[in-house]
Structures are given as C-alpha cells and as structure tokens.
Amino acid sequence: MPDNPTTSLVKTANSPALARVSNQLALTEKLLAKSEEVILKLCQRDGKYGFCDQFNNVVIDFLYEEVDVLSGNNGLLKVGRFSEWGYTLGYINRYGKEVVPLVFHAANWFHEDLAAVMHNFAWGFVDHSGEVKIPLEYEAVENFSEGLAGIKKNDLWGFVNKSGKVVISPIYGYVGEFKEGLAYVSANNKYGYVDNFGYIDTHGIQIIEAQYKWARDFSEGLAAVSVAFGKWSVERVWGFIDKVGTQIIAPQFKDVSYGGFREDLVGVTFDSHKWGFIDREGKFVIPAKYSAVDWFYNGRAEVELDGKKGYIDKIGIEYWED
C-alpha cells in the first residue's frame, strides 16, 4: 500500500448543493477545521477515513468507516465505525477527540446545539459535550427548530422544548419542523396512512385547518400544499398558501422544490421530468427544461440538463461545469 493517503478538498460555491456529498466513498473535499496553523482534509487508507494537514501528514488516524463531511458546521463531525455494539456513530472535534462517544445506532446533525441520537430504537438528544439532555425514550424525533422538536410516543407526534418538557401533546399522525412560527401537522394516522394536513403555531393552536393531502415548511411567507387530484383522488397536485391559509398559487404542479421559495423563486415541475422556476405570482421566470434543480442561494441555483451539471442565475443565464 502507498505511504501517502488519498486526500481531497471540498469545493464551496454559491449554491449549497455544489458542496453536497452524493457518495461518501468518493473523497469529496471538506474542511474540518480552518485556522492560521492548519487546514485538515479528509483522507482515506485501507477503506477507513482520517484527517491530514495540507502537507498530507496524518493528524487524525484512520479509525472510521464513515465521516459525514457536511455535519461540521458547529466544529464537530459525525463519524461512524464498527464496534462491539455493531455499527455505531458519534462526534469528534477538530483535534480528533471523540467528544460524543460512538455508542449510537443513528445520529443527526446538530440543530440549535442539540443532536438527535438513537440507541436500541429509542431516540433522544445530546449536547456538544455528549451529555444526554433529553432522555432516549421516543420512537422517533425531528430536529430542533425555533426551540421545539417533534417527538413520537405511542405512535403519535407532539413537541418538546429544549428542556425536554412536552409543550404540545402527542396527538398528531405526523409533524414537521417549525418554520416562520408554523409547523405542518397531520390530523390523523389511520392504518399507517397519514394525510389531512394543516398548520399549528408554537403554542399548539391550529392556525390553518387540516385540509391538505400533504404540506411542507413555510419559506419566505409561503408554503407548498397538495390536494387530491385524478379519477380516484389518489394523485396530488401542489400549490402555495400564505400564513393565514389564503391560496396564493393554485394547485397545478406535479411537484415543487422541497426547500420552497428562496430569493422569491421556487422550482416546479408538471411531469417530474422537466423543472423550471416560478415567481411569487406563479409566473414562469425560468422555463421548465431541466432534469433537476436546487434552490437559489446568493443569486444562483444548481441545475442539471442532458447529463451536465452547472448553475443558473436569476435571469436564466447558464454556467456549466467543465
């Protein structure tokens, strides 16, 4: 085997999707830590990952089968390896110290200083030091957002605050995260089938009545919602409502970008094959011709067309990768 590990650095660009890792086995660039002294790079040897400095000297040994290179926005990286408990996950700091022990069977990124973790099918939350702040006693959880996190108990969903207190009782078939003061919730969960969505505020008050087949987070004051469509009402089409439930863009799209409106534009498709962008009035600003699109960030959005990847600006000028 060669002495020098294989290394690579992450490309950070104006579109967040350009910095996403689609395959952990491909050595995608990522800065673990950035200081005047050292820049650490993800590197690999014999199928395991570690970290090297800019001169390819090993700084953190090759101990991990997995490194989530996008989880390090708070100075900690999620890592995984095989252990006596099977495949387990935890978090290391920039010096390689395992500050959150690798004892969890599932782990999310940190959100609002807490990370959702699971051990033996029970979910809870830990802080940056690895201390369990909310006991691992739930069937499932959502990430914290606006001070609250969805929790599932006895097959129903509610919300806890960061102290672990249940502030909205588990009465829902499913819940989303709070965004702009509202979260989508399903009024029922019959026979494992979830539908009939509306929105509640952080006090659990129903703001928009349950009436939609599915719903998504609010972004820039609008949320995507779907209604039944077709002969047997099994299909659904998407439109947009405002924060009091007024229809702003009529349901008509086969799908819409999951992130919702960003910089006053959102990706939509009529057939799931060709995507374009509409404005807040529902008018196409960029024609539906792309096989995939991401949301706008700093005036640019990643797109894919005929197997080529690149990005467009807000007037549709294309910039393709070499």
Side-chain angles (χ1 to χ4, degrees):
M1 296 298 294
D3 292 334
N4 291 332
T6 306
T7 64
S8 62
L9 291 174
V10 123
K11 294 179 181 177
T12 54
N14 285 334
S15 171
L18 291 178
R20 289 182 182 158
V21 175
S22 60
N23 189 338
Q24 279 279 340
L25 295 178
L27 295 180
T28 319
E29 290 185 48
K30 175 64 187 179
L31 298 178
L32 171 65
K34 190 173 183 180
S35 68
E36 295 179 358
E37 295 81 19
V38 64
I39 295 176
L40 297 188
K41 304 177 293 184
L42 181 66
C43 46
Q44 184 185 39
R45 179 182 289 165
D46 298 333
K48 292 192 176 184
Y49 293 96
F51 291 89
C52 305
D53 64 18
Q54 60 264 50
F55 305 109
N56 286 343
N57 299 310
V58 176
V59 178
I60 299 174
D61 206 0
F62 302 93
L63 300 173
Y64 306 107
E65 275 81 17
E66 173 187 353
V67 176
D68 187 340
V69 297
L70 295 182
S71 63
N73 61 344
N74 61 346
L76 300 181
L77 277 180
K78 183 174 73 174
V79 294
R81 70 178 175 216
F82 289 100
S83 70
E84 59 186 295
W85 301 286
Y87 191 77
T88 54
L89 299 156
Y91 302 83
I92 62 173
N93 65 15
R94 66 183 61 189
Y95 307 108
K97 181 181 179 181
E98 295 178 2
V99 294
V100 180
L102 277 73
V103 297
F104 301 107
H105 297 119
N108 293 352
W109 298 357
F110 277 87
H111 291 263
E112 299 185 359
D113 297 323
L114 295 175
V117 293
M118 183 269 285
H119 183 78
N120 288 341
F121 304 103
W123 286 86
F125 292 85
V126 297
D127 65 12
H128 295 94
S129 70
E131 181 182 353
V132 175
K133 305 301 290 187
I134 298 175
L136 279 66
E137 60 185 24
Y138 296 107
E139 299 158 17
V141 297
E142 294 285 346
N143 295 317
F144 270 92
S145 180
E146 300 184 8
L148 299 177
I151 49 92
K152 186 179 183 183
K153 193 81 167 179
N154 298 323
D155 209 33
L156 292 173
W157 287 82
F159 289 88
V160 296
N161 63 19
K162 296 174 79 171
S163 298
K165 179 181 178 181
V166 176
V167 293
I168 299 176
S169 298
I171 60 173
Y172 301 104
Y174 188 65
V175 300
E177 298 178 3
F178 277 96
K179 302 292 183 182
E180 301 183 5
L182 298 176
Y184 61 81
V185 296
S186 171
N188 64 302
N189 183 2
K190 295 180 179 179
Y191 311 111
Y193 182 74
V194 179
D195 66 356
N196 202 23
F197 282 85
Y199 290 83
I200 61 172
D201 67 13
T202 56
H203 301 289
I205 298 172
Q206 193 85 34
I207 302 300
I208 299 173
E209 292 302 316
Q211 57 191 290
Y212 304 106
K213 296 295 290 183
W214 199 267
R216 292 182 181 165
D217 297 333
F218 272 91
S219 177
E220 298 184 359
L222 298 178
V225 293
S226 68
V227 297
F229 173 76
K231 182 177 180 180
W232 305 107
S233 296
V234 294
E235 299 181 63
R236 61 189 184 201
V237 289
W238 292 86
F240 290 86
I241 60 172
D242 65 15
K243 294 176 75 172
V244 295
T246 302
Q247 178 178 286
I248 302 301
I249 299 173
Q252 58 193 285
F253 304 108
K254 180 75 171 180
D255 202 359
V256 299
S257 291
Y258 195 82
F261 272 91
R262 302 295 174 95
E263 300 183 8
D264 293 324
L265 297 177
V266 65
V268 298
T269 179
F270 288 113
D271 59 9
S272 298
H273 301 294
K274 294 182 178 180
W275 289 78
F277 289 87
I278 60 171
D279 62 18
R280 296 173 68 87
E281 296 180 353
K283 298 177 181 177
F284 272 92
V285 175
I286 297 171
K289 65 176 185 177
Y290 300 102
S291 56
V293 299
D294 206 330
W295 59 70
F296 273 92
Y297 178 75
N298 284 348
R300 296 177 177 181
E302 188 180 15
V303 296
E304 186 172 341
L305 179 65
D306 297 330
K308 298 187 300 181
K309 292 184 177 181
Y311 60 90
I312 57 174
D313 63 21
K314 296 179 74 172
I315 60 174
I317 297 177
E318 298 170 340
Y319 305 84
W320 299 107
E321 298 178 4
D322 296 332

